Amino acid sequence: MAAPNPLLSGLAGRCPNCGEGRLFEGFLKVSPRCEACGFDLAKADSGDGPAVFVILIGGFIVAFAALFTEFTLHPPVWVHLVIFLPPTVIVCMGLLRPFKGAMLAAQFMNRASQARRDD
């Protein structure tokens, strides 16, 4: 049996080691161990990377739509808030978990660990 692609497993929210166990306990909390293979996930930390990518991608999509709407229809500001605030939240929340899983899987693929200096 071939090993699963860690990046695809991370995008799906699965363990990058086996592709079977869940990567997350809650919405964004990483499980301490894989329930299927016992792989230690406690040291995995994606930092702010996924949030930065999500903000850039979601912001580009929604800002482009808002600017296009502003220059073509000239609606009041409250219309922009009503129209574009919900898609902003939906896009950002929808992308955050897969991006965090992909970042954790990239750490696994590259055998990256947190830099520590114990004095």
Side-chain angles (χ1 to χ4, degrees), residues 45-70:
D45 182 25
S46 61
D48 293 335
V52 170
F53 286 117
V54 167
I55 289 169
L56 290 173
I57 292 168
F60 175 78
I61 293 168
V62 176
F64 178 77
L67 284 172
F68 182 78
T69 303
E70 176 61 34

Side-chain angles (χ1 to χ4, degrees), residues 26-107:
F27 183 64
L28 290 175
K29 185 173 189 231
V30 180
S31 298
R33 290 193 128 2
C34 173
E35 60 204 19
C37 68
F39 185 69
D40 183 22
L41 298 166
K43 291 181 252 174
D45 182 25
S46 61
D48 293 335
V52 170
F53 286 117
V54 167
I55 289 169
L56 290 173
I57 292 168
F60 175 78
I61 293 168
V62 176
F64 178 77
L67 284 172
F68 182 78
T69 303
E70 176 61 34
F71 289 124
T72 57
L73 302 174
H74 306 291
V77 174
W78 68 267
V79 173
H80 279 291
L81 291 175
V82 170
I83 292 174
F84 295 111
L85 195 56
T88 302
V89 172
I90 291 168
V91 166
C92 289
M93 296 302 281
L95 289 177
L96 196 53
R97 186 174 167 136
F99 271 65
K100 184 168 183 168
M103 294 284 276
L104 294 173
Q107 284 181 348

